[in-house]
Amino acid sequence: TIRLPNVSGYATFSNASGGVLNVSSTAGWSFTSDSSVQGGIVNNAGTINVNNSTSWEAAFTNASTGNLNIAAGKFLSMQNGQSLAGTVDIGSGGTLWVSERHGTNAAFNGTTVNGTGTLQVVAGVGPVADFTSVNAGEATLLVGSGGTANILSGTSTFGALSLSSGTLTGAGTLALNNAFSFTGGSMTGTGTTVLGPSVTYAPGTVTLDRNLTAQGTVNQTSGTLTINSGKTLTVDGSRGIVWVH
């Protein structure tokens, strides 16, 4: 564990461009500062390899040159995410967990997210993640209880969205390549969620409070799909199909 205390100002750990940090400890906490403010600072402009599941109790920034790699089947609980640019790789069955918020949202801006793992915004202390022009074409975005995902300007692309609780909102476009599950919580905002040609969606009983474009299949087999005033469900004229049973 690396401790970053507040002694006339919080300590900083910087991994410079070209540097490599391998996190293989089984201690559970690889960075700590304090549980309330979590003001210790971790800056990454090089490569950090998370080889074992761990938690970071510090303000983390990933620069445009930074690479954050989470091994298959492992998780990183990022409790005070700041600006996350550069590249994040989440291996199969791995998870990057935006688990808390301490003063600022975790902001993914122009980030490339590789791998088929999960980026989740759930539980913890009111976690909030902002997404601006993020390319995560195979990863799953999971929004659960207590979590908020803001889709800001531009188009952010994920392989899948799982929204079981919490809130997905914002004025930007969220494009989904492979799967869409909306079983609870709220999907709001002035933006649009676009279901790609490979996505089959069975709404059941839900309320759409955000524009939705279907390029694949919407299969309404049971329940009531409610579209709120001012919102639009668009079936792509060249590819989309809606079945109402």
Side-chain angles (χ1 to χ4, degrees):
T1 300
I2 298 174
R3 177 151 177 76
L4 304 169
N6 182 5
V7 181
S8 301
Y10 282 101
T12 299
F13 178 95
S14 289
N15 187 42
S17 179
V20 177
L21 171 65
N22 292 311
V23 180
S24 301
S25 172
T26 58
W29 296 86
S30 41
F31 290 104
T32 64
S33 53
D34 61 84
S35 60
S36 56
V37 178
Q38 303 205 4
I41 299 166
V42 178
N43 294 325
N44 179 46
T47 297
I48 298 180
N49 297 313
V50 177
N51 300 317
N52 272 321
S53 296
T54 190
S55 299
W56 290 355
E57 187 185 79
F60 175 67
T61 295
N62 201 57
S64 60
T65 59
N67 293 275
L68 174 63
N69 303 317
I70 301 171
K74 307 302 180 182
F75 75 82
L76 168 61
S77 175
M78 185 177 62
Q79 297 187 184
N80 192 8
Q82 303 288 298
S83 174
L84 291 103
T87 301
V88 177
D89 191 285
I90 311 173
S92 175
T95 301
L96 174 57
W97 180 12
V98 180
S99 56
E100 298 186 14
R101 182 185 186 277
H102 294 273
T104 188
N105 299 347
F108 295 82
N109 192 339
T111 318
T112 297
V113 181
N114 297 319
T116 59
T118 298
L119 198 166
Q120 70 177 30
V121 189
V122 60
V125 181
V128 181
D130 297 340
F131 300 94
T132 302
S133 301
V134 171
N135 183 8
E138 296 298 323
T140 295
L141 174 60
L142 186 154
V143 183
S145 177
T148 299
N150 296 317
I151 310 299
L152 302 182
S153 59
T155 297
S156 289
T157 301
F158 280 84
L161 170 66
S162 176
L163 178 60
S164 60
S165 186
T167 301
L168 184 138
T169 188
T173 297
L174 174 64
L176 303 172
N177 291 337
N178 303 318
F180 174 53
S181 174
F182 177 25
T183 59
S186 61
M187 188 168 65
T188 67
T190 59
T192 300
T193 298
V194 179
L195 311 183
S198 298
V199 178
T200 297
Y201 173 44
T205 298
V206 296
T207 298
L208 291 180
D209 198 26
R210 179 180 175 87
N211 298 323
L212 183 72
T213 297
Q215 298 176 340
T217 300
V218 177
N219 198 355
Q220 181 68 1
T221 58
S222 63
T224 301
L225 171 61
T226 300
I227 304 170
N228 273 357
S229 176
K231 305 303 177 183
T232 302
L233 170 59
T234 301
V235 182
D236 188 298
S238 60
R239 291 169 288 189
I241 301 171
V242 173
W243 294 95
V244 180
H245 299 265

